[in-house]
Amino acid sequence: HAKHGTQHPYLFYCKEHTRLAQNRFKLDVQLRKAIKKQEFFLQFQPIFSLGKQQPVICNIEALIRWKTNKGEVVSPAEFIPYAEQSGLILPMGEWIIAEAFKHWAKLVKDSGHEVGLSINISPRQFRDHSLPLRIAGQLQRYHLPARLLTLEITESAVFEHEEQALETLKQFKAIGVRLSLDDFGVGNSSLFKLKHLPLDELKIDRAFMIDVPESSADSEIVSTIIKTAGILGLSVVVEGIETEAQLEFLRKIGCDCIQGFLLGRPMDIQGIPPLLVAAKTQTLSA
Ligand code: C2E
Ligand code: MG
Ligand code: MG
Ligand code: MG
């Protein structure tokens, strides 16, 4: 059998390659159908600020979900990378923005609470020249202040075409929206490189939090990133907070904001208003 494997490595490769190509083709067809059949929906995960005695909700992050006709819910981690590669992310992203704004505008209006919206923008969307104008148009349409909107972009969007990216970032700053660097720390950008970019926020990837606070090295790394971000004038959101101990640690070192299953999982928009009521009571009594 070992012989079999070494004899025709290219054959194996070709077969594997065809299988992958077929799967991709299938996914492409499925995704196009899903767009038409409106099988996508959004969930919203709260982000909490740690300034007060109790965490207070400040933003909601829109996260896409795909419910197939068989009723299974597919994670974006499985189809966003493909949609990005195939360009399908452009129509999909347009839908995400429109849908997120619709829910957000209603939430702000009904609750009278200035909660912010965070939207994930993929690298391909970020390079779409019409994006700044479309975002500005949505803000205008719903009379929402730009400072309440945060665009979460990734390192690859910023560093792969750096000069063009800087222009786009400046256009967004001119509109007044906040810019956040998502998944910080798992790619290859350094805090030093960020110094030159007009960013407002750093979202530290949850990979950093897994062994905090048990590992003193990891805890030290996180607090150093947060301190340095502060020096650079960036606010920080730490992702993936699942335990009280992690929350306590971050509160102690003066972290601005956190997000994670401990305080709120991604949920349907209906789950958000109760959190806003709690936030209001908290603000009044503090
Ligand atoms: P992300 O933007 O970094 O989103 C955070 C992911 O971590 C979400 O997964 C969220 O459900 C998960 N998460 C949050 N808190 C915790 C926690 O405490 N523990 C654990 N284990 N996980 C936590 P999700 O929704 O599966 O999204 C995965 C990625 O897919 C997102 O990462 C983002 O890069 C992408 N994505 C999701 N929705 C969109 C979208 O609307 N547009 C674009 N372009 N990308 C999206
Ligand atoms: Mg995000
Ligand atoms: Mg993230
Ligand atoms: Mg992430």
Coordinates of all heavy atoms in Angstrom, one line a residue, residues 61 63 120 152 154 181-184 203-206 239 259, ligand 3:
E61 N -22.8 43.5 17.4 CA -22.0 43.1 16.2 C -22.9 42.2 15.4 O -23.5 41.2 15.9 CB -20.7 42.4 16.5 CG -20.0 41.9 15.3 CD -18.7 41.1 15.5 OE1 -18.4 40.8 16.7 OE2 -18.0 40.8 14.5
L63 N -23.7 39.3 12.8 CA -23.0 38.1 12.4 C -24.0 37.3 11.5 O -25.1 37.0 11.9 CB -22.6 37.3 13.6 CG -21.5 37.9 14.5 CD1 -21.5 37.2 15.8 CD2 -20.1 37.9 13.8
N120 N -18.9 43.5 10.2 CA -17.7 43.0 9.6 C -17.7 43.3 8.1 O -18.6 43.0 7.4 CB -17.7 41.4 9.8 CG -17.6 41.1 11.2 OD1 -16.5 41.2 11.8 ND2 -18.7 40.6 11.8
E152 N -15.7 46.7 11.2 CA -14.6 45.8 11.6 C -13.9 45.3 10.3 O -14.5 44.6 9.5 CB -15.2 44.6 12.4 CG -15.8 45.1 13.7 CD -16.1 43.9 14.6 OE1 -15.9 42.7 14.3 OE2 -16.7 44.2 15.7
T154 N -10.2 43.5 8.6 CA -9.1 42.6 9.1 C -7.8 43.1 8.5 O -7.7 43.9 7.6 CB -9.3 41.2 8.5 OG1 -9.6 41.2 7.1 CG2 -10.5 40.5 9.2
L181 N -9.9 47.2 14.0 CA -9.1 46.1 13.4 C -9.5 44.8 14.1 O -9.1 44.6 15.3 CB -7.6 46.4 13.5 CG -6.7 45.5 12.6 CD1 -7.0 45.9 11.1 CD2 -5.3 45.7 12.9
D182 N -10.1 43.9 13.3 CA -10.7 42.7 13.9 C -9.6 41.6 13.9 O -8.6 41.6 13.2 CB -11.8 42.2 13.0 CG -12.8 41.3 13.7 OD1 -12.5 40.9 14.9 OD2 -13.9 41.0 13.2
D183 N -9.7 40.6 14.8 CA -8.8 39.5 14.9 C -7.4 39.9 15.1 O -6.5 39.2 14.6 CB -8.9 38.6 13.7 CG -10.4 38.1 13.5 OD1 -11.1 37.9 14.5 OD2 -10.7 37.8 12.3
F184 N -7.2 41.0 15.8 CA -5.8 41.5 15.9 C -4.9 40.4 16.7 O -5.3 39.8 17.7 CB -5.7 42.8 16.7 CG -4.3 43.2 16.9 CD1 -3.6 43.8 15.9 CD2 -3.7 43.1 18.1 CE1 -2.3 44.2 16.0 CE2 -2.3 43.4 18.3 CZ -1.6 44.0 17.3
K203 N -9.5 44.9 18.0 CA -10.3 43.8 18.6 C -9.3 42.7 18.7 O -8.8 42.1 17.7 CB -11.4 43.4 17.7 CG -12.8 43.8 18.2 CD -13.9 43.3 17.4 CE -14.9 42.6 18.3 NZ -16.1 42.3 17.6
I204 N -9.0 42.4 20.0 CA -7.9 41.3 20.2 C -8.6 40.0 20.1 O -9.6 39.6 20.7 CB -7.3 41.5 21.6 CG1 -6.7 42.9 21.7 CG2 -6.3 40.4 21.9 CD1 -6.1 43.2 23.1
D205 N -7.9 39.1 19.2 CA -8.5 37.8 18.9 C -8.6 36.9 20.2 O -7.8 37.0 21.1 CB -7.6 37.1 17.9 CG -8.4 36.0 17.2 OD1 -9.2 36.2 16.3 OD2 -8.2 34.8 17.7
R206 N -9.7 36.1 20.1 CA -9.9 35.3 21.3 C -8.9 34.3 21.6 O -8.8 33.7 22.7 CB -11.3 34.7 21.3 CG -11.5 33.6 20.3 CD -13.0 33.2 20.3 NE -13.4 32.7 19.1 CZ -13.4 31.4 18.8 NH1 -12.8 30.6 19.6 NH2 -13.8 31.0 17.6
E239 N -12.1 39.8 22.6 CA -13.1 38.8 22.2 C -13.0 37.5 23.0 O -11.9 37.2 23.5 CB -12.8 38.3 20.8 CG -12.9 39.3 19.7 CD -12.6 38.6 18.3 OE1 -11.9 37.6 18.3 OE2 -13.1 39.2 17.3
Q259 N -16.3 41.1 24.7 CA -17.3 40.4 24.0 C -17.1 38.9 24.2 O -16.0 38.5 24.2 CB -17.2 40.7 22.5 CG -18.3 40.2 21.7 CD -18.2 40.6 20.2 OE1 -17.0 40.7 19.7 NE2 -19.3 40.7 19.5
Ligands
MG3 MG -13.0 39.1 15.7

